[in-house]
Amino acid sequence: MGGQAHNSIDQGKQILVVEDEADIASTLSYHLSRTGYTCRLAGDGQTGLAEAQRQPPDLIVLDRMLPRLSGDEVARRLRSDQRTARIPILMLTARAEESDELVGFALGADDYVRKPFSIKLLMARIQALLRRDQPHGETGDVLTAGPIVLDRGRHEVTVAERPAGLTAMEFRLLAALMAARGRVLSRNQLIDAALGAGAAVTDRTIDVHVAALRKKLGQFHDWLHTVRGVGYAFRPVAPEPEKA
Ligand code: CA
């Protein structure tokens, strides 16, 4: 299991795993190495932060509950340090912490996976985050996420090479969400992005446009996530595999 579905662009990418539970850390290290990543381990928050600053990795898998410095605090400090601000962070959360998981996003995690997790699912999410971080996917006129391509220059969105037929409003909403690289945007942020700051539009209007946009994404509609009580996020998701 794991290891087979990788692409050459992932080979040699450095992943820092900050996890104090030794068995989880060694399982992750085993599968990451097998997939072709270079893996470094840190057993507490302080060490993890220092490692990330010493040699910034391509991605960080960060446990939330850590000795010496919590995962939330590590994420906050990584985001406020220019050297590490843009490193994708995948946070591991325990079921008991679920009510708090939005706090993780507020502090800058790009994605989260709940423990206990299937290794297949985790590897898929790591690959998705690394792809999202490809320069082609985040800069310039074209934003891409798998089969969804948004071309700002041509003002066109294609899904699996077919034009999605978005309205101007839907286009601006999707552009803002894709550019946010998985971060949650509040309805106010979306209103600012789609209509300009302070536009007189209700939250409900945004919900209606997002619902219409979602329909036009067809089979990828669930990449546009509703984050209850907060807003929306665009996150490519791999099909949920069976638990390992
Ligand atoms: Ca832990």
Side-chain angles (χ1 to χ4, degrees), residues 40-242:
R40 284 185 286 153
L41 298 177
D44 66 77
Q46 197 83 58
T47 309
L49 181 64
E51 268 301 297
Q53 289 167 336
R54 186 180 65 79
Q55 192 185 341
D58 295 298
L59 182 144
I60 299 174
V61 177
L62 179 63
D63 186 34
R64 189 131 196 249
M65 297 286 279
L66 288 168
R68 293 181 75 199
L69 205 57
S70 74
D72 291 349
E73 184 57 22
V74 172
R76 197 187 64 73
R77 294 199 196 176
L78 287 169
R79 288 298 181 233
S80 62
D81 182 335
Q82 218 178 24
R83 290 167 296 172
T84 56
R86 296 183 57 77
I87 301 172
I89 298 174
L90 189 150
M91 203 170 262
L92 300 177
T93 67
R95 222 157 260 287
E97 302 156 24
E98 264 180 31
S99 56
D100 295 327
E101 70 198 5
L102 292 177
V103 177
F105 283 117
L107 292 169
D110 294 277
D111 199 357
Y112 68 91
V113 168
R114 289 179 194 130
K115 292 177 174 179
F117 52 80
S118 92
I119 196 78
K120 259 186 168 170
L121 171 70
L122 187 74
M123 299 302 284
R125 302 283 274 276
I126 286 173
Q127 284 171 353
L129 272 183
L130 286 171
R131 301 266 156 78
R132 198 201 290 172
D133 203 42
Q134 293 299 302
H136 175 65
E138 69 179 62
T139 58
D141 277 354
V142 179
L143 297 166
T144 60
I148 300 175
V149 179
L150 183 147
D151 189 327
R152 290 184 209 265
R154 300 170 62 179
H155 219 268
E156 183 185 71
V157 172
T158 54
V159 178
E161 290 169 17
R162 289 221 297 268
L166 302 191
T167 65
M169 175 81 157
E170 290 159 2
F171 181 90
R172 287 194 294 266
L173 287 173
L174 184 61
L177 286 160
M178 286 179 77
R181 298 171 61 241
R183 302 251 164 76
V184 181
L185 295 183
S186 69
R187 290 179 176 80
N188 279 336
Q189 286 173 313
L190 285 169
I191 290 169
D192 291 352
L195 292 160
V201 169
T202 64
D203 289 358
R204 174 76 190 134
T205 307
I206 290 293
D207 293 343
V208 169
H209 287 288
V210 167
L213 169 59
R214 204 175 252 147
K215 266 189 193 150
K216 292 179 183 176
L217 297 181
Q219 62 173 304
F220 306 103
H221 62 94
D222 56 355
W223 288 14
L224 215 167
H225 298 254
T226 302
V227 182
R228 218 189 310 167
V230 184
Y232 295 98
F234 182 83
R235 297 190 188 121
V237 282
E240 188 110 5
E242 285 160 36

